[in-house]
Amino acid sequence: QQPVQSPQAVILREGEDAVINCSSSKALYSVHWYRQKHGEAPVFLMILLKGGEQKGHEKISASFNEKKQQSSLYLTASQLSYSGTYFCGTATAYSGAGSYQLTFGKGTKLSVIP
Amino acid sequence: DTGVSQDPRHKITKRGQNVTFRCDPISEHNRLYWYRQTLGQGPEFLTYFQNEAQLEKSRLLSDRFSAERPKGSFSTLEIQRTEQGDSAMYLCASSQRTRRAYNEQFFGPGTRLTVL
C-alpha cells in the first residue's frame, strides 16, 4: 500500500525550514528518501532502517518512528537547490527470501524562492 | 561517470509495436530494479533482479512486459504490443548487496516512452 506524504506542496523562502512527512499503514522495515528535479532521475538522500540505523546526506536529517510507521524529512536553512519533488519509498518487513521492492508516495513538491 | 545508464532516453512508438529498453547498472552492483513513473506519481515497482535471477515481479506487470538480465550485468525491459497506457518514464535502479537487507538504490536517467 502506498505511503501517504504531506504536505503535497510547500513554498519556502531561502533560509526557511521545512518538514516533509511520510506515513504508512503497514509495518515498515526501512524508509528511503529521494529528491527529483523536473525531467531528471530521483537522487538518493537518506535511508532509515528499523532499529535506528541511518545513512545519507550530511545536510539533511530525518527521523523514523517505528511505532507509528512514520518518517519525517527535515530541511533546514533551505537553498534554491533544494527545490524539487521529494519522495519517500517504503520497504515492508524483510522476509529473508528477499522482498526488496520500494513503494513510493506521490511526492511533496518543494519550491524555494529567493 | 560510473552511474546507472539507460538507453534510449526517449522512445516514440505507435500502438501495437514492440519496444526494448536497456539498463547498465553501476558496475559493482548486483541488484537491479525496474520502475515506471507517470506524471505526478512516484516510481512504481515493476521487477527486481539479483545477479541474473529475476526474484520479484509486480502483480501489476502484464504478460506483455518481460525483463532479462542474462549475464548479471545489463538488463533489458521489453514491452510487446504497446498500448497508450504504457506511456511513462521507465526508470532503472541498482544497489549493492551487503549484509543489510536494504541499501540505497541509485536511479538512472530513465527512458521516456510515448505511445501514439
Side-chain angles (χ1 to χ4, degrees), chain A residues 34 36 41 53 55 99 101, chain B residues 37 56 100 102 104-105 108:
Chain A
Y34 288 83
Q36 186 175 32
E53 185 181 352
K55 182 178 177 182
S99 178
Q101 65 172 282
Chain B
Q37 187 176 27
E56 201 165 1
R100 195 169 64 193
Y102 290 100
E104 52 271 39
Q105 297 180 19

Side-chain angles (χ1 to χ4, degrees), chain B residues 39 54 62 64-65 83 96 98 101:
Chain B
L39 198 62
Q54 188 175 19
S62 77
R64 297 184 296 105
F65 287 71
E83 301 173 356
Q96 193 168 22
T98 66

Side-chain angles (χ1 to χ4, degrees), chain A residues 1-6 21-23 31-34 36 85-90 102-108, chain B residues 37-38 40-44:
Chain A
Q1 193 165 2
Q2 190 175 37
V4 177
Q5 288 186 233
S6 63
N21 301 302
C22 173
S23 64
V31 181
H32 306 229
W33 286 96
Y34 288 83
Q36 186 175 32
T85 301
Y86 289 76
F87 293 100
C88 68
T90 56
L102 295 179
T103 304
F104 286 89
K106 291 187 176 183
T108 295
Chain B
Q37 187 176 27
T38 53
Q41 301 292 320
E44 177 185 36

Side-chain angles (χ1 to χ4, degrees), chain B residues 4 15 18 23-24 31-32 41 46 59 70 84-86 88 98 112:
Chain B
V4 178
R15 190 176 54 183
N18 299 343
C23 170
D24 287 89
R31 292 178 177 169
L32 187 148
Q41 301 292 320
L46 294 178
R59 280 176 256 172
Q84 287 184 327
D86 296 333
T98 66
R112 181 166 294 284

